Amino acid sequence: MPVSPLIELNTGALMPRFGLGVWQATDDETERAVVSALEAGYRMIDTAAAYRNETGVGRGLRAAGVPREELFVTTKVWNADRGYEGTLRAIDASLERLGLDHVDLYLVHWPGGDAGVRAETWTAMQEIAASGKATSIGVCNYKPHHLQEFLDAGETIPAVNQIELHPRLPQWVTRAFDADHGIVTESWSPLGGTSGSGWGERSKPNTLLGDPVIADIAAAHGVTPAQVLIRWHLQNDLVVIPKSSNPDRIRQNADVFSFSLTGTDMERIATLETGERVGFDPDEFV
Ligand code: A2P
């Protein structure tokens, strides 16, 4: 049985509020994680060409045998493929690896530093939506100044903006901009990320899952820190895609619909804001 409530996108499509992230998992790990997740009631899988595991996602989807219409599959165009021709080629290559004829959501992975390339990429994204290869299109890591370009150009507004977001980095400004323009905000590194979230020297360890405030709230509810964090995203009206390759943690992360954080819990979690990222600043990752 699907576990997640749905949210309506600006395309009219329905998106689960909760799904599985698969960054940093190999094809084989991803295949197993996708099967575990679908068995646990997940219906949304978030991958990307850059994760190099779309083939594993496709294998997992076929092995689990959930009807296509119940699934919500997201993938992303990588930086090297941005631009008009590259983006059109990239969706075909992703669909081939996934073994699907369309994805539910196709995202631009990073904005990059060139407004001209962003505009060309978005022209291709709109053609991809018109062709039915993606039901909805959106972006990742866009700040308000990037999003403003769509408004200025009178372009199709992205359905989703997927950004690094967790209690240390609640992203108030971008979230407010998204909400004002009907864009759904989706949280990446929702549990505070992995040790590789920033890549190489920029990587920072996950300190959120071990935070004493989160641990205290978890103990009071008889749940785990990860479950507290996932509830925090859901209660903030965010779409959330915790990554795990471990079947027990995959099941645990989906078991978040039978308790609620109190107003006091939410206030305590708000004190954890530091503004620190675990991944790159989009203006610096071009
Ligand atoms: P693993 O795949 O071994 O479960 P984020 O979604 O913020 O990127 O964080 C993902 C990290 O948190 C991964 O390292 C993942 O490791 C770990 N993780 C996922 N779910 C849980 C959980 N329920 N408890 C502890 N760690 C978790």
Side-chain angles (χ1 to χ4, degrees), residues 185-202:
T185 305
E186 183 175 17
S187 308
W188 65 256
S189 280
L191 307 180
T194 70
S195 58
S197 298
W199 299 305
E201 289 173 4
R202 304 275 296 259

Side-chain angles (χ1 to χ4, degrees), residues 189-194 206 209 226 241-246 249 252-253:
S189 280
L191 307 180
T194 70
N206 182 320
L209 280 167
I241 42 168
K243 180 265 168 185
S244 181
S245 303
N246 174 293
R249 291 195 283 274
Q252 179 198 114
N253 292 350

Side-chain angles (χ1 to χ4, degrees), residues 20-25 29 33 42 165-166 187-197 206 208-209 224-227 229-230 233 240-254 278:
L20 180 75
V22 296
W23 187 42
Q24 293 174 321
E29 285 168 343
Y42 292 62
L165 201 159
H166 41 74
S187 308
W188 65 256
S189 280
L191 307 180
T194 70
S195 58
S197 298
N206 182 320
L208 202 53
L209 280 167
T224 67
Q227 289 171 315
L229 291 167
I230 294 165
H233 290 274
V240 60
I241 42 168
K243 180 265 168 185
S244 181
S245 303
N246 174 293
D248 290 335
R249 291 195 283 274
I250 288 171
R251 276 189 291 277
Q252 179 198 114
N253 292 350
V278 294

